[in-house]
């Protein structure tokens, strides 16, 4: 049996065993011009005669190696023409030589073509040696069980059907078929971590520990992958016990039950939430997890920033995982005259009414208050908190620090600057949504009453913001 027949049979068996795709699948093949991707192109051109599949090749020109890059394009064009596989060539611009940036840009280009042509899967030529390198890289980076599982035969819409082949097997196949390929000179540069593993570490491991280390680690990767799949099934039930709120950009977890789970369970819960928001399980490592776990015992509000634009914020008994945001500016103070009936400050709209008779029924809404109008000095100011702020919360007979009051109310630190503070120059008389000051409370001698209603602007359709009681716009 020729290498062509052996390789085709091995590929066919692997696709069936891993349930990679079915007949009539539309496959986008990533072809760089190296031996692995050229072997992928060759094998799938042969497989097409046995299985009803549609093929489209894509080559990404990184434009980093001058004439070498252009020669890669020419080779891939010639091969695709000879094998009867249509080809798309895309150029990408990189700001540096970062492997992560190149990988991301390639994938973005793949996705654009996949969507434009309505194909089903992206297929790459990663083989068993790539699997070994990936496992070792992830081991050194602390990527956990997921990292040791390495490359999956199928990861979403990305297929790796050549993981059952070694690099030598693929090159021997091409030599027999007299199909040329090109070597990327940058693959010899040892300043890249993967290249150092490939050219320095692996030969040493093969010589000193196990000549078949790639095969052995490939088997271990499948075991790790099966173990992680089993853990992920359990995580789905645990997530229901800790998720308080979720949307496309934020998930809020309840800390009390999360803290009582095992460390492994905590790792997977947090990693899966991060993956759900970011769309990827990449770039979450042991040190990220430990930094997040350190938040559990932190007092007040603390946060950890992650590499993928996310941040994890601890606010009392909650853990909030969300995309990082630029802090919004704190609103400027606004002066309220006695005849003002409506003003806007920050995200709040306030309505004011002077009453001579108390309402029959008082609202339980913390954003609605009624106080003694004669105990307020006009004009007053609505502002954000300031260092040293103090007031006398309703029901108390002593002055307290506003900071301590907000902490006791478990107001997240990120929200404290945006709470409207009513200040008449002599005292703070209302901390919006939290508490009136005892010194403006209604008593038996009260004859005029100030009724204040606050509403969040995003909750209501915008109305004219600043208006006097006479209807004249201010």
């Amino acid at each position: 049996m020729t290498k062509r027949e052996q390789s085709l049979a091995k590929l066919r068996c692997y696709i069936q065993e891993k349930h990679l795709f079915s007949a009539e699948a539309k496959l986008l093949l990533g072809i760089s011009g190296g031996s692995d991707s050229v072997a992928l192109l060759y094998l799938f051109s042969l497989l097409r005669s046995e299985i009803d599949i549609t093929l489209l090749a894509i080559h990404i020109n990184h434009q980093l190696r001058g004439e070498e890059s252009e020669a890669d394009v020419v080779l891939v064009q010639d091969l695709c023409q000879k094998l009867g596989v249509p080809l798309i060539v895309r150029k990408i611009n990189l700001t540096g030589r970062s492997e992560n940036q190149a990988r991301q840009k390639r994938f973005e280009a793949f996705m654009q073509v996949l969507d434009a042509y309505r194909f089903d899967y992206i297929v790459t030529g990663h083989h068993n040696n790539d699997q070994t390198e990936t496992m070792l890289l992830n081991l050194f980076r602390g990527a956990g069980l997921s990292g040791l599982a390495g490359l999956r035969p199928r990861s979403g819409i990305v297929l790796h059907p050549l993981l059952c082949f070694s690099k030598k097997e693929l090159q021997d196949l091409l030599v027999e078929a007299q199909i040329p390929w090109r070597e990327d000179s940058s693959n010899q540069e040892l300043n890249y971590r993967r290249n150092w593993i490939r050219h320095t570490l692996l030969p040493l491991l093969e010589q000193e520990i196990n000549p078949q280390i790639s095969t052995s680690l490939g088997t271990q990767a499948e075991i790790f992958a099966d173990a992680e799949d089993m853990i992920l099934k359990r995580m789905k039930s645990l997530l229901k016990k800790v998720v308080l709120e979720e949307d496309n950009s934020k998930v809020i977890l309840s800390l009390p039950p999360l803290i009582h789970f095992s460390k492994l369970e905590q790792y997977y819960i947090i990693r899966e939430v991060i993956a759900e928001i970011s769309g990827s399980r990449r770039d979450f490592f042991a040190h990220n997890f430990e930094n997040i776990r350190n938040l559990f015992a932190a007092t007040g509000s603390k946060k950890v920033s992650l590499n993928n634009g996310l941040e994890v914020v601890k606010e009392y008994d909650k853990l909030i995982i969300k995309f990082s945001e630029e802090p919004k500016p704190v609103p400027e103070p606004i002066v309220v005259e006695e005849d003002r009936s409506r003003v806007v400050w920050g995200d709040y709209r306030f309505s004011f009414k002077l009453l001579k008779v108390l309402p029959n029924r008082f609202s339980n809404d913390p954003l609605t208050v009624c106080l003694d109008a004669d105990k307020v000095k006009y004009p007053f100011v609505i502002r954000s908190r300031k260092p040293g702020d103090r007031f006398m919360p309703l029901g108390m007979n002593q002055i307290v620090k506003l900071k301590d009051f907000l902490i006791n109310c478990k107001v997240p630190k990120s929200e404290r600057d945006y709470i409207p503070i009513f200040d008449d120059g002599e005292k703070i008389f209302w901390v919006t949504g939290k508490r009136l000051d005892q010194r403006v409370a209604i008593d038996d001698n009260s004859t005029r009453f100030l009724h204040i209603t606050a509403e969040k602007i995003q909750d209501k359709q915008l109305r004219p913001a600043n208006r006097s009681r006479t209807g004249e716009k201010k």
Side-chain angles (χ1 to χ4, degrees):
M1 184 180 289
T2 65
K3 286 184 172 57
R4 164 179 164 165
E5 293 169 333
Q6 291 174 345
S7 300
L8 193 56
K10 189 173 185 177
L11 175 64
R12 191 188 311 114
C13 180
Y14 191 72
I15 291 171
Q16 292 173 350
E17 177 189 344
K18 302 300 180 182
H19 307 289
L20 294 187
F21 58 85
S22 55
E24 301 183 357
K26 300 171 73 174
L27 308 176
L28 179 65
L29 310 179
I31 311 300
S32 67
S35 59
D36 46 4
S37 66
V38 168
L40 176 76
L41 177 67
Y42 176 52
L43 284 170
F44 271 77
S45 70
L46 298 175
L47 190 67
R48 184 177 50 183
S49 63
E50 300 181 4
I51 304 175
D52 183 16
I53 53 177
T54 302
L55 302 180
L56 173 63
I58 180 171
H59 174 78
I60 305 299
N61 183 354
H62 297 84
Q63 305 181 87
L64 292 176
R65 295 178 291 115
E67 293 182 0
E68 282 189 47
S69 295
E70 296 305 319
D72 292 344
V73 175
V74 172
L75 174 75
V76 173
Q77 287 174 332
D78 289 344
L79 288 173
C80 286
Q81 185 175 7
K82 290 177 182 177
L83 297 173
V85 178
L87 170 69
I88 291 175
V89 176
R90 287 285 176 91
K91 292 183 177 181
I92 60 175
N93 295 311
L94 301 175
T95 56
R97 297 178 69 89
S98 164
E99 292 179 82
N100 286 338
Q101 185 193 34
R103 183 181 66 239
Q104 182 179 348
K105 291 282 188 180
R106 277 198 305 273
F107 189 75
E108 288 174 358
F110 288 168
M111 286 300 302
Q112 289 171 1
V113 172
L114 190 83
D115 291 340
Y117 289 85
R118 297 183 179 181
F119 267 53
D120 300 316
Y121 300 104
I122 297 167
V123 187
T124 71
H126 292 92
H127 44 71
N128 188 253
N129 298 79
D130 292 319
Q131 177 73 294
T132 303
E133 294 164 12
T134 300
M135 290 179 68
L136 291 173
L137 267 175
N138 288 339
L139 174 65
F140 301 147
R141 295 164 73 189
L145 188 58
S146 177
L148 293 178
L151 300 166
R152 301 292 189 98
R154 177 174 176 173
S155 180
I157 59 169
V158 181
L159 306 182
H160 301 118
L162 301 189
L163 290 179
C164 58
F165 293 91
S166 68
K167 186 178 187 70
K168 184 177 186 307
E169 286 179 294
L170 297 177
Q171 290 184 343
D172 288 346
L173 169 68
L174 296 180
V175 169
E176 179 189 81
Q178 297 184 332
I179 295 177
W181 70 86
R182 287 183 55 80
E183 294 291 345
D184 185 340
S185 60
S186 65
N187 286 338
Q188 304 300 317
E189 298 176 13
L190 297 184
N191 56 314
Y192 291 116
R193 287 172 294 182
R194 184 178 288 273
N195 288 350
W196 181 83
I197 288 175
R198 178 181 303 159
H199 298 298
T200 304
L201 179 60
L202 271 176
L204 182 63
L205 294 176
E206 289 171 352
Q207 177 181 335
E208 300 294 336
I209 297 178
N210 182 358
Q212 302 298 321
I213 192 165
S214 291
T215 301
S216 176
L217 289 180
T219 301
Q220 292 301 309
E222 293 192 2
I223 295 173
F224 291 137
D226 289 342
E228 188 181 50
D229 288 343
M230 183 173 63
I231 292 173
L232 289 177
K233 289 179 181 178
R234 172 167 168 74
M235 287 310 102
K236 291 181 180 179
S237 63
L238 294 183
L239 275 170
K240 296 177 182 178
K241 299 179 180 180
V242 297
V243 174
L244 296 175
E245 180 184 331
E246 62 180 319
D247 57 35
N248 292 332
S249 61
K250 178 176 65 177
V251 175
I252 301 177
L253 305 179
S254 175
L255 265 179
L258 181 62
I259 289 173
H260 286 92
F261 290 142
S262 70
K263 187 174 180 179
L264 180 65
E265 290 168 332
Q266 292 170 355
Y267 172 85
Y268 273 93
I269 287 172
I270 293 170
R271 196 199 72 174
E272 288 310 293
V273 170
I274 289 173
E276 183 68 24
I277 298 174
S278 67
S280 172
R281 293 191 178 99
R282 303 182 72 94
D283 300 326
F284 182 67
F285 304 111
H287 71 275
N288 301 127
F289 174 59
E290 290 302 328
N291 289 339
I292 293 170
R293 286 191 83 237
N294 289 338
L295 294 178
F296 294 179
T299 57
S301 299
K302 304 290 182 181
K303 73 176 182 179
V304 168
S305 297
L306 303 178
N307 297 331
N308 49 10
L310 294 179
E311 63 182 15
V312 182
V313 182
K314 193 254 185 176
E315 291 182 349
Y316 299 103
D317 60 351
K318 296 177 182 178
L319 199 69
I320 303 170
I321 302 173
K322 62 179 182 176
F323 283 107
S324 302
E325 299 175 353
E326 289 292 329
K328 60 182 179 180
V330 177
E332 294 293 325
I334 185 170
V335 177
V336 181
E337 303 285 352
E338 191 168 0
D339 66 344
R340 185 64 60 88
S341 65
R342 188 176 297 144
V343 298
V344 167
W345 186 90
D347 292 335
Y348 291 85
R349 181 186 296 104
F350 296 95
S351 299
F352 307 100
K353 290 182 182 179
L354 277 175
L355 306 175
K356 292 184 178 180
V357 179
L358 278 174
N360 293 328
R361 182 181 300 174
F362 284 94
S363 172
N364 291 324
D365 186 350
L367 294 179
T368 299
V369 292
C370 197
L371 52 111
D372 189 323
D374 293 319
K375 294 179 181 178
V376 174
K377 181 182 176 182
Y378 283 95
F380 60 78
V381 173
I382 304 176
R383 61 169 175 82
S384 62
R385 63 177 180 148
K386 295 190 298 187
D389 274 343
R390 288 171 166 80
F391 83 123
M392 184 183 294
L394 187 66
M396 298 179 64
N397 58 6
Q398 62 181 9
I399 302 292
V400 301
K401 291 181 179 180
L402 177 61
K403 178 181 178 181
D404 293 341
F405 174 80
L406 295 177
I407 290 174
N408 290 334
C409 290
K410 295 189 175 181
V411 177
K413 188 176 182 180
S414 60
E415 298 177 11
R416 294 173 196 167
D417 286 335
Y418 305 97
I419 295 176
I421 306 297
F422 282 64
D423 182 354
D424 69 0
E426 295 180 350
K427 60 188 172 297
I428 290 173
F429 64 89
W430 188 31
V431 179
T432 303
K434 303 303 175 186
R435 195 80 63 87
L436 272 174
D437 188 284
Q438 177 65 37
R439 291 166 291 184
V440 296
I442 296 168
D443 57 31
D444 293 340
N445 298 318
S446 300
T447 58
R448 290 197 316 147
F449 311 97
L450 177 59
H451 187 270
I452 308 176
T453 300
E455 59 186 14
K456 293 297 267 316
I457 290 176
Q458 63 266 33
D459 295 339
K460 300 276 185 156
Q461 185 175 359
L462 193 63
R463 298 201 298 261
N466 298 323
R467 190 183 298 274
S468 70
R469 291 194 185 89
T470 61
E472 178 188 357
K473 290 186 179 179
K474 294 282 186 176

